[in-house]
Amino acid sequence: MRKKYYNMVEDMKKIRVFCRIRPVNRNEAAQGGVIVVDKIDEFSVTIDTPRGQREFQFDKVFSAEASQEDLFHDTNLIQSAIDGYNVCIFAYGQTGSGKTFTMVGDKEQKNPGLMPRSFNAIFDIIRENSSKFDFKVSAYMLELYNDRLQDLFVSPAGEAHAQPQSHGQARRVEIKRNRKGVVFAQGAETKEASSAQELYALFQQACANRHISATMNVESSRSHLIVGIRVESKNLTNGSVSTGKLSLVDLAGSERAAKTGAKDHQLKEANSINKSLSALGDVISALSAELPHVPYRNSKLYATRVKAITNNAQRNVESKEIAQLKEVIMKLKSGQSVEDVDV
């Protein structure tokens, strides 16, 4: 019953937009910087602008004093993913606004972000339900750099940048949709993890290959990081299999080229980032206004995922018989013998 009502509540919310206010850092404070965003209540903020004060509403507002744990508590969709739903969380904002800190945390992991906390939560739930279900966790990790998808498990971002025309050994990753309308990354390397530590190690490997560059920020992310975690669970009582996916996205920061000091390839990066973020904003705006045409194809930035969230949420569940047939097909493809009992 707890799972049922939890997912009902999450389904009703569909798309939720949170606002997190970042505190002034040391450099900003030394230069006399002050916070111009004020939290009015749980859902509203005011911003001081040259044209006066403006007010904005959100589904939730976190003050500068809010902790990483506070944020994770209100954005926790792990249970829905394990129950067979596809869910997505992404951080959107300007360069230096705190997106990577919110999603990843600090380097020492004294204040882990949503991603490492999600890794721990997945395996905490798995341990709690190990007597009733068999679980398998796998992940792929990609970056969208200059409108091109890079597999962070296969091709180091540095090599891809040094040889932008080299496609010889690297597998091409493309965004596809299956017959059920589920979006997936065709050609992406997928790796299994049996613990939160293994999953975090894979994540660190991916982050080490990600594009960063000094613009407005010392280590500004120059690409969009997409972490896809697939959780498959088999009910030991009736044999049904459910598959859910948790997509965690750390978007690159939007910025004005004149303020960044970016030149040459960095300027190209900035233009590509801003174009993709603008396309994503257009998709969300069209969906919110229920317009007849939604510009999904204007960018590769997984905009189709937003459509899946606004539709009626459906669990990805297979019966025991279908699961068995798929297992037989996999055995046949790998050249294994199949006994009658398998069928």
Side-chain angles (χ1 to χ4, degrees):
M1 292 297 288
R2 177 182 61 82
K3 286 184 181 181
K4 176 183 176 181
Y5 288 115
Y6 174 87
N7 286 313
M8 284 175 62
V9 171
E10 296 305 314
D11 181 35
M12 286 188 292
K13 293 176 181 175
K14 301 196 184 238
I15 294 179
R16 295 182 293 165
V17 182
F18 292 171
C19 172
R20 188 181 195 184
I21 302 172
R22 177 175 70 77
V24 173
N25 61 37
R26 292 181 181 179
N27 292 336
E28 292 167 339
Q31 296 173 8
V34 295
I35 295 179
V36 297
V37 182
D38 184 40
K39 176 181 176 181
I40 302 175
D41 52 40
E42 293 295 310
F43 313 103
S44 309
V45 299
T46 57
I47 299 179
D48 296 327
T49 74
R51 297 183 179 181
Q53 197 174 74
R54 297 188 63 188
E55 183 175 327
F56 298 90
Q57 281 75 41
F58 299 91
D59 293 297
K60 177 80 173 182
V61 174
F62 295 91
S63 69
E65 291 75 32
S67 67
Q68 297 278 69
E69 186 175 354
D70 293 335
L71 200 76
F72 179 70
H73 180 268
D74 277 344
T75 58
N76 188 356
L77 295 170
I78 310 303
Q79 184 66 63
S80 293
I82 291 179
D83 289 346
Y85 291 87
N86 294 331
V87 297
C88 179
I89 301 173
F90 64 83
Y92 183 103
Q94 291 177 310
T95 295
S97 60
K99 298 180 302 302
T100 298
F101 177 75
T102 296
M103 296 300 292
V104 180
D106 55 355
K107 288 184 177 179
E108 298 78 19
Q109 286 296 289
K110 293 180 179 178
N111 291 289
L114 294 179
M115 290 182 177
R117 289 177 186 271
S118 296
F119 302 160
N120 289 326
I122 287 172
F123 285 96
D124 285 343
I125 296 175
I126 287 176
R127 279 192 296 271
E128 293 173 2
N129 295 273
S130 59
S131 62
K132 301 177 183 177
F133 297 87
D134 273 341
F135 292 95
K136 184 171 74 173
V137 177
S138 57
Y140 63 82
M141 300 187 189
L142 311 170
E143 73 166 350
L144 179 61
Y145 176 70
N146 282 349
D147 204 34
R148 195 176 73 192
L149 281 169
Q150 305 284 346
D151 190 333
L152 295 178
F153 284 159
V154 178
S155 302
E159 295 178 9
H161 175 67
Q163 301 175 336
Q165 302 301 323
S166 176
H167 297 284
Q169 297 180 351
R171 285 185 295 178
R172 186 179 182 87
V173 179
E174 295 183 339
I175 304 305
K176 299 289 186 179
R177 294 178 68 188
N178 63 21
R179 293 179 180 179
K180 295 182 179 179
V182 177
V183 179
F184 66 99
Q186 185 181 66
E189 178 80 7
T190 300
K191 297 190 176 183
E192 291 188 21
S194 59
S195 68
Q197 291 74 24
E198 285 187 17
L199 190 53
Y200 186 70
L202 292 174
F203 174 68
Q204 285 182 307
Q205 174 189 338
C207 287
N209 292 333
R210 189 182 178 190
H211 281 88
I212 58 172
S213 179
T215 54
M216 295 174 70
N217 215 7
V218 177
E219 289 190 345
S220 176
S221 301
R222 311 307 303 147
S223 65
H224 309 293
L225 172 66
I226 300 110
V227 175
I229 304 171
R230 186 172 180 267
V231 182
E232 182 180 294
S233 62
K234 179 179 181 181
N235 189 309
L236 297 177
T237 302
N238 59 26
S240 65
V241 177
S242 65
T243 304
K245 184 164 65 175
L246 174 65
S247 297
L248 301 168
V249 185
D250 180 21
L251 295 172
S254 61
E255 52 193 26
R256 293 183 181 178
K259 289 187 177 183
T260 66
K263 296 180 180 179
D264 302 326
H265 75 273
Q266 289 187 5
L267 184 59
K268 180 182 177 182
E269 291 172 345
N271 290 335
S272 179
I273 290 168
N274 291 339
K275 178 183 176 182
S276 61
L277 291 174
S278 178
L280 179 60
D282 290 342
V283 168
I284 295 174
S285 178
L287 289 168
S288 301
E290 298 184 353
L291 299 180
H293 172 68
V294 181
Y296 293 118
R297 299 183 181 274
N298 287 4
S299 172
K300 292 182 180 178
L301 188 55
Y302 278 62
T304 47
R305 293 186 181 277
V306 183
K307 180 181 179 182
I309 296 172
T310 57
N311 286 344
N312 292 327
Q314 294 182 352
R315 293 181 65 197
N316 301 312
V317 183
E318 296 176 346
S319 67
K320 177 181 178 181
E321 291 73 19
I322 294 176
Q324 286 179 333
L325 286 172
K326 284 192 172 183
E327 188 176 345
V328 169
I329 292 171
M330 290 299 292
K331 286 183 177 181
L332 290 172
K333 284 184 176 180
S334 62
Q336 298 180 42
S337 61
V338 178
E339 303 292 338
D340 290 338
V341 69
D342 293 332
V343 182

